[in-house]
Amino acid sequence: MAKQLHLGAFMRPVSIHTGAWRYPGALPDANFSLAAIQRFIRSLEAAKFDYFFMADHLGVLNLPRQALMRSHTVTSFEPFTLLSALAGVTERIGLVATASTTYDEPFHVARRFASLDHISGGRTGWNVVTTSNPDSSRNFGLETQPDHAARYHRAREFHDVVTGLWDSFADDAFVMDAAKGIYFDPDRMHALNHKGEHFSVSGPLNISRPVQGWPVIFQAGASDPGRQLAAETAEAVFAAESTLEGSKAYYDDVKGRAATVGRNPDHIKIMPAVFLVVGDTVEEARAKRAKLDSLVHYDSGIHSLSGMLGHDVSGFDPDGPLPDIPESNASKSSRRFMIELARAENLTIRQLAAKAGSYGGLAFVGTAKTIADEMQHWLEQAACDGFTTMFPYLPEGLEDFTGKVVPELQARGLFRTEYEGATLRDHLGLPRPDNRFFA
């Protein structure tokens, strides 16, 4: 059988587009309506998606009032609380959440994900991130944040501690022998006793080993430290490349690095983020995108751009070119993408702000057939293993994709018609990891 696509859905925020909540027929409160989100995840599960993914932010962005007042992401649910609720109304779809290695502790993260994996029957994934937003640091008693390299160094140790805690108990530790009065075998329990540069964690974790052994490890990151961390630890990667050639190079680089450190490259799934606008004709889809982009106010766009660049550009001439921008602690991938876009297309700051406030990354805008053509081409060119889909507005944008594009992919044999397994590892074709402490 030909290689099949994996499909995930980026659902926090429910749309990354700043104008999404203003689109005719959209649900303005979709980010914080449990009923709406339950509707969305049921539609995704009916379409046999691999996973539902929640990004997270640890603070309200410190934007000027005129920009902040236009944001539909200023309020949303905490990921673990929401995903625990969603686990109860779904059966197969994966549940992936972001948890920061910069402002959290390994024991907390290990315990939350282990709990969610048990609650969901083995459907969880951890998106490992380093927090680059300086506004978040002040919510944790810090005036400054660690620099880029230091954040990734901490993240590597954080990952090792969390996965070590997940291995605290052997799979057969809990014998529950009522006749003998023995609940578990203490010889099948391991105390981590980790003492490192950033963390000192005794362990063991006070919950049995997750159903999947470990929840699936997700990551994103285009910088060299980000790629190396992904190659060493990730099992699925949210890539941000916006061109076929760029994604092919990223795919080869990360999988090549994984092979170099002794990992099976097939055990890392590269899942580029793609913004999807579906129409019955290409012209209709383009008109939808144009309407959506027209709903982005400059006040919002310029501050989205400043955040992505890690530098305030609101004081420059809106109709002039983007000047040279100094390095910062902002996300390297977002900064690089916007600068390259400005140079390649000779965009003014106003035009670049419109891109930043809408969505300037990879987008497939067309009919079910043309979008399926593009997805198939990327898969066949070894530019991806699937896609992390982003919808332009909810619920229509999501339902356009699940109702029109997914059946086209299924008809081509490129996407499943039924789930074949019960866990997220089953969906992604990933092995269950061995326990490092118990054979």
Side-chain angles (χ1 to χ4, degrees):
M1 186 173 66
K3 184 178 180 182
Q4 290 194 325
L5 284 163
H6 296 287
L7 292 176
F10 183 102
M11 295 298 295
R12 195 283 177 190
V14 293
S15 175
I16 200 167
H17 197 290
T18 307
W21 67 276
R22 301 180 66 197
Y23 197 85
L27 299 174
D29 66 344
N31 269 330
F32 61 101
S33 165
L34 178 59
I37 295 172
Q38 286 175 332
R39 171 183 172 181
F40 304 153
I41 197 169
R42 286 181 176 127
S43 294
L44 293 165
E45 185 169 59
K48 314 305 177 189
F49 265 59
D50 292 70
Y51 58 83
F52 174 108
F53 165 57
M54 288 192 70
D56 194 24
H57 299 285
L58 298 175
V60 173
L61 295 179
N62 185 21
L63 298 178
R65 184 184 183 91
Q66 64 271 26
L68 187 63
M69 66 189 286
R70 305 180 192 283
S71 173
H72 71 129
T73 64
V74 70
T75 178
S76 61
F77 292 115
E78 187 278 323
F80 287 94
T81 308
L82 178 60
L83 291 182
S84 294
L86 295 179
V89 298
T90 56
E91 295 180 353
R92 296 292 186 89
I93 191 169
L95 304 167
V96 182
T98 291
S100 173
T101 63
T102 306
Y103 299 119
D104 213 330
E105 291 295 324
F107 195 91
H108 288 146
V109 168
R111 192 179 186 209
R112 290 178 197 135
F113 275 105
S115 297
L116 186 58
D117 206 56
H118 281 287
I119 289 168
S120 66
R123 294 188 281 136
T124 59
W126 170 29
N127 180 37
V128 183
V129 302
T130 70
T131 302
S132 61
N133 177 14
D135 297 313
S136 297
S137 64
R138 290 186 278 276
N139 288 332
F140 297 89
L142 302 172
E143 289 303 316
T144 60
Q145 65 182 111
D147 64 29
H148 188 266
R151 293 199 306 270
Y152 275 96
H153 193 256
R154 174 184 166 98
R156 187 65 179 86
E157 184 180 345
F158 197 111
H159 166 274
D160 291 345
V161 175
V162 168
T163 54
L165 288 169
W166 284 335
D167 286 343
S168 293
F169 291 95
D171 290 320
D172 61 358
F174 291 86
V175 295
M176 291 182 274
D177 188 330
K180 294 182 178 179
I182 300 173
Y183 194 77
F184 83 102
D185 180 354
D187 290 335
R188 305 296 279 169
M189 178 182 72
H190 179 84
L192 188 63
N193 290 321
H194 173 88
K195 294 188 182 300
E197 180 179 351
H198 299 280
F199 305 107
S200 177
V201 181
S202 173
L205 192 66
N206 56 342
I207 185 169
S208 59
R209 196 166 190 243
V211 174
Q212 298 182 100
W214 302 352
V216 177
I217 304 295
F218 285 73
Q219 282 179 34
S223 67
D224 188 76
R227 292 180 187 220
Q228 189 62 32
L229 184 65
E232 293 175 5
T233 65
E235 296 172 291
V237 180
F238 298 125
E241 298 294 334
S242 60
T243 67
L244 178 67
E245 291 306 316
S247 192
K248 288 174 66 175
Y250 184 92
Y251 186 98
D252 291 342
D253 181 36
V254 172
K255 295 208 173 196
R257 293 183 192 221
T260 298
V261 298
R263 296 187 63 202
N264 184 339
D266 290 339
H267 295 167
I268 304 178
K269 307 301 179 183
I270 307 298
M271 305 283 291
V274 60
F275 188 76
L276 299 157
V277 185
V278 185
D280 291 331
T281 65
V282 172
E283 291 73 23
E284 181 187 62
R286 289 173 177 168
K288 287 182 178 182
R289 176 69 194 263
K291 171 67 175 177
L292 184 62
D293 288 351
S294 74
L295 299 175
V296 178
H297 195 284
Y298 180 75
D299 289 345
S300 180
I302 190 62
H303 290 288
S304 294
L305 177 60
S306 295
M308 294 175 75
L309 293 172
H311 187 81
D312 184 4
V313 294
S314 61
F316 295 114
D317 178 7
D319 298 306
L322 181 71
D324 290 337
I325 301 299
E327 288 285 347
S328 75
N329 268 337
S331 167
K332 300 296 184 184
S333 55
S334 296
R335 179 184 180 278
R336 177 175 63 84
F337 173 76
M338 295 310 294
I339 291 174
E340 289 180 354
L341 181 66
R343 304 294 183 248
E345 300 186 15
N346 196 29
L347 300 179
T348 66
I349 288 178
R350 187 185 304 279
Q351 291 170 323
L352 201 60
K355 296 275 190 183
S358 57
Y359 181 72
L362 175 64
F364 295 159
V365 179
T367 66
K369 181 183 183 303
T370 66
I371 291 173
D373 286 343
E374 291 183 281
M375 288 186 161
Q376 182 172 358
H377 185 58
W378 278 56
L379 182 68
E380 291 174 347
Q381 291 294 308
C384 70
D385 295 300
F387 294 94
T388 300
T389 59
M390 299 184 291
F391 306 112
Y393 38 82
L394 282 294
E396 182 185 325
L398 183 156
E399 292 169 356
D400 282 343
F401 185 80
T402 58
K404 298 176 182 179
V405 181
V406 168
E408 177 69 21
L409 294 170
Q410 291 170 331
R412 300 182 187 198
L414 293 172
F415 190 62
R416 68 174 68 89
T417 56
E418 294 294 339
Y419 290 111
E420 296 180 358
T423 71
L424 180 54
R425 288 186 176 277
D426 291 337
H427 305 339
L428 293 172
L430 297 171
R432 189 176 189 269
D434 293 332
N435 190 314
R436 72 184 68 174
F437 306 120
F438 302 101

